[in-house]
Amino acid sequence: MTYDVVIVGCGPVGALAANLLGREGLSVLVLEKELEHYPLPRAVHLDHEMMRLLQSAGVIDRVLPDMIAADGHLHIGADHGVIRYMGTQGKPKPFGWANDWFFYQPELEAHLRAGMDGLESVELELGAEFVSLDQDAAGATVHYSAGGEARSVRGRWVVASDGSRSPVRKALGVALDDLQFEEPWLVVDAEVEGPVTFPPLTGVPEGADLQRLSVMMCDPARPATVVPGRGNHRRWEFMLLPHEDDAEMMRPERVGELVGAWMKDVPHRIVRAATYRFHGLVAEQWQVGRVFLAGDAAHQTPPFFGQGMCHGFRDVANLAWKIAAVAQDGAPESLLATYQPERDPHVRGVIGAAVAAGRYICELDPAKAAARDADIRAQARKRAGETAADLIPAIDTGAVLPGSPGAGERFIQPLLADGRRLDDLTGQGWRLFGPGGDAGGVSTFDVAALPDNGAVQAWLAARGAEAVLVRPDHYVFGTGTPENLLAARRAVLGQTAEMAA
C-alpha cells in the first residue's frame, strides 16, 4: 500500500499533522519510535493561532479543559522594576482566543492521539524507528525497524517531525544555519500548592496578576523565567552562570534551593529538572524532493516568547492544505514548493525577535544591564500596548496575492452573537467574505449578514477592500473583488473556471 503521507515522529507537531491530513481524507501512516509518549512536561505554551488550529483539527473540545489562559508577558529589569509589559488583560481578542495558553504536554499529546484514533484514514505504528529513505518522482520509501524486524513503507510524501536531532534531516544531509545564540539554562517543573512568591517589584501595571503572567527576571545575578501552568503545574527556567556545571546544577539539593526561594513556605514537589542549550537554528533546506521537515527538525528557537511548538504547528498547517490540494484537487506540485519560502522568513523573523530578547535577558554585567533597562524602558514607551501577538509577521511570498492590502495576514476570528467563533459558523477550507453570491466552489459569506457585530466589515473597510479570500490555514490569500480573488486562486491551484465550479 502507498499512503498519501508518511509522518516520522508523533510528538505534538506530527500528531497535529496527522489530524489535519486525516480530516482532509488523506491516508496517513505515523511512525513513532517510542512505545509511549514522553510522560513529563517539555513545551508548555501555545498562542491564539494554535488554539484556532486545534479547532481546525477537531480536537479543541478535548484539549480545552486541560489548558489555562494567561495574561501575557512581563520583563523585569536589574533593579526589579518593569522594563517591558506585553499584557493582554482586558484587551480585545480579534482572533477568538486569549493570546497565551499553558498546558501539560503529556495531556496534550494524549488528546491529539485520541483525535487521530477517530480518523479512519490515519494509522499509528509505535516502536517504529526510522532507518533510511529513498525516493523517486512518484514517492518516497521509508525504511524502519519495528519489533526487531526491518520494514518499509511507501508514501507520496513524507513529513519529518522527528525532533531537533532529526534522523531524517541527517539522512537527507540538510545542514542547520546557526543564528549564533547559545545559552545554558536549567528548566524545572514542579507541582505547587500555592502562589509563587515574587521579590518586591516596581512598576507592575495596575490589575496585573503575577500568577497569570509569564515573568522574565532580567537580573544579572541570575536571569530566570517563571511561567504559569494548568492546575498546580509551574515552570522555572534559570540561566546557568559561566562557572556552573550542568550536572551539579541538576542535583536535587541545588534545584531545591533555586525553586525554594520562590516558594517560601508553599508545599511543592519537583517533577523534572533538566539543562538545555537554548539555540537559534534553522534548516537550510526544508524540502528535499518529496520529504518535508517540520517543527524542531526544521528550526529551533530560544523559548523567550514561547513560540517553539507554535512554529511547528504553523508548519504542518501550511503543509496540510497544500498537500490535500495536490492530492485531491489537482493542484500542481509547485504549490508545495511555497512551503519554505512562506515559513522560513516567518520563522527567522520570530527567532530573530527571540534571540534579540535573549541577548538582553542574558546580560550578566550589572552596568550593561542598567543601561539596557533604560533603553528598553524608552522603547517600551513608544510601543505601549504591545502584545506577543505582534511578533508574528505576515506571509509576503508564496500562495498569496501580492500587493493586495492584508495579504498574508492572519485573518480575524470574531465571536458571534450566539457565543460561537467565526470558524464554527463557516467551517474550514477556503472562505470568501464579501458581498455574497456564487463563488465557484469556495464557501462564500455575505459580510452584511454575519452575526459578528460588523467585525469582518470593519476589517475590510480598514483595508479599503470589497472582499477577502482566506486560505485553509486562516491566512489571508488576498483582498479585492470576488472575481479577481477567485481568478488568482485558480491560477495558484492550476484550475480553470469550469474545474472550480
Side-chain angles (χ1 to χ4, degrees), residues 348-417:
R348 287 177 186 270
V350 178
I351 290 180
V355 168
R359 295 197 193 286
Y360 77 65
I361 288 165
C362 297
E363 180 56 66
L364 300 179
D365 183 280
K368 291 180 180 178
R372 168 206 66 194
D373 293 352
D375 181 57
I376 292 175
R377 286 181 175 123
Q379 295 178 39
R381 285 191 290 271
K382 299 177 184 177
R383 57 189 183 208
E386 69 169 331
T387 69
D390 301 330
L391 295 168
I392 310 301
I395 296 171
D396 62 4
T397 188
V400 294
L401 183 59
S404 62
E409 296 179 11
R410 293 171 296 177
F411 191 61
I412 59 173
Q413 185 184 202
L415 293 177
L416 306 179

Side-chain angles (χ1 to χ4, degrees), residues 55-75:
Q55 270 184 274
S56 301
V59 297
I60 190 66
D61 291 338
R62 296 179 186 273
V63 304
L64 194 56
D66 291 323
M67 304 184 81
I68 181 174
D71 293 340
H73 305 257
L74 185 70
H75 290 190

Side-chain angles (χ1 to χ4, degrees), residues 5 41 55 108 114 125 152 154 188 192 205 212 218-219 281 289 293 309 324 353 358 389 396 437 462 467 472 492:
V5 182
Q55 270 184 274
L108 177 66
E125 184 171 353
S152 297
R154 189 161 173 82
V188 182
V192 304
R212 292 178 56 84
C218 308
D219 187 343
L281 302 168
L293 304 180
M309 187 181 290
D396 62 4
V492 167

Side-chain angles (χ1 to χ4, degrees), residues 34-51:
E34 302 296 340
L35 294 174
E36 298 286 345
H37 60 72
Y38 192 68
L40 297 176
R42 288 175 294 186
V44 295
H45 173 269
L46 295 174
D47 67 17
H48 61 81
E49 186 180 353
M50 306 310 110
M51 299 299 285

Side-chain angles (χ1 to χ4, degrees), residues 23-303:
R23 286 174 67 85
E24 292 283 358
L26 274 66
S27 59
V28 179
L29 175 65
V30 187
L31 302 176
E32 169 54 49
K33 69 175 182 178
E34 302 296 340
L35 294 174
E36 298 286 345
H37 60 72
Y38 192 68
L40 297 176
R42 288 175 294 186
V44 295
H45 173 269
L46 295 174
D47 67 17
H48 61 81
E49 186 180 353
M50 306 310 110
M51 299 299 285
R52 193 174 190 177
L53 293 178
L54 294 171
Q55 270 184 274
S56 301
V59 297
I60 190 66
D61 291 338
R62 296 179 186 273
V63 304
L64 194 56
D66 291 323
M67 304 184 81
I68 181 174
D71 293 340
H73 305 257
L74 185 70
H75 290 190
I76 304 297
D79 59 359
H80 285 187
V82 172
I83 58 175
R84 190 177 186 186
Y85 177 53
M86 292 171 283
T88 57
Q89 185 181 28
K91 293 182 179 179
K93 299 180 177 66
F95 302 103
W97 295 97
N99 190 67
D100 298 286
W101 293 82
F102 288 87
F103 60 92
Y104 195 74
Q105 185 167 331
E107 293 174 346
L108 177 66
E109 291 195 29
H111 292 317
L112 287 168
R113 291 193 183 186
M116 291 164 52
D117 289 343
L119 298 170
E120 292 184 2
S121 64
V122 176
E123 300 175 33
L124 171 62
E125 184 171 353
L126 300 174
E129 185 167 5
F130 173 84
V131 175
S132 64
L133 63 80
D134 49 71
Q135 53 183 316
D136 53 41
T141 301
V142 177
H143 306 285
Y144 64 101
S145 63
E149 297 181 0
R151 300 181 185 178
S152 297
V153 64
R154 189 161 173 82
R156 293 182 64 183
W157 297 281
V158 174
V159 175
S161 53
D162 53 342
S164 60
R165 295 182 177 88
S166 184
V168 176
R169 185 187 67 232
K170 293 175 182 177
L172 295 171
V174 174
L176 293 170
D177 183 9
D178 190 341
L179 303 186
Q180 301 302 309
F181 182 87
E182 180 177 350
E183 294 292 349
W185 284 67
L186 173 69
V187 178
V188 182
D189 291 280
E191 293 175 350
V192 304
E193 302 302 328
V196 171
T197 301
F198 287 85
L201 305 177
T202 61
V204 177
E206 184 177 355
D209 183 352
L210 293 174
Q211 307 299 324
R212 292 178 56 84
L213 289 165
S214 176
V215 181
M216 174 59 70
M217 302 294 294
C218 308
D219 187 343
R222 168 89 66 190
T225 306
V226 188
V227 299
R230 70 92 183 95
N232 65 349
H233 175 234
R234 277 280 188 170
R235 168 167 290 182
W236 285 263
E237 296 171 353
F238 302 101
M239 182 179 172
L240 300 188
L241 303 179
H243 64 278
E244 292 176 332
D245 175 72
D246 289 27
E248 168 66 20
M249 295 304 292
M250 282 194 294
R251 290 177 54 226
E253 310 91 87
R254 294 293 287 124
V255 173
E257 291 172 7
L258 289 169
V259 171
W262 295 85
M263 297 308 298
K264 301 302 181 185
D265 298 323
V266 175
H268 59 280
R269 181 179 74 88
I270 304 300
V271 174
R272 174 177 178 259
T275 56
Y276 289 88
R277 292 299 189 271
F278 289 170
H279 292 291
L281 302 168
V282 182
E284 294 180 353
Q285 194 173 354
W286 296 32
Q287 177 185 1
V288 179
R290 307 186 75 81
V291 183
F292 301 90
L293 304 180
D296 286 352
H299 41 68
Q300 296 154 54
T301 180

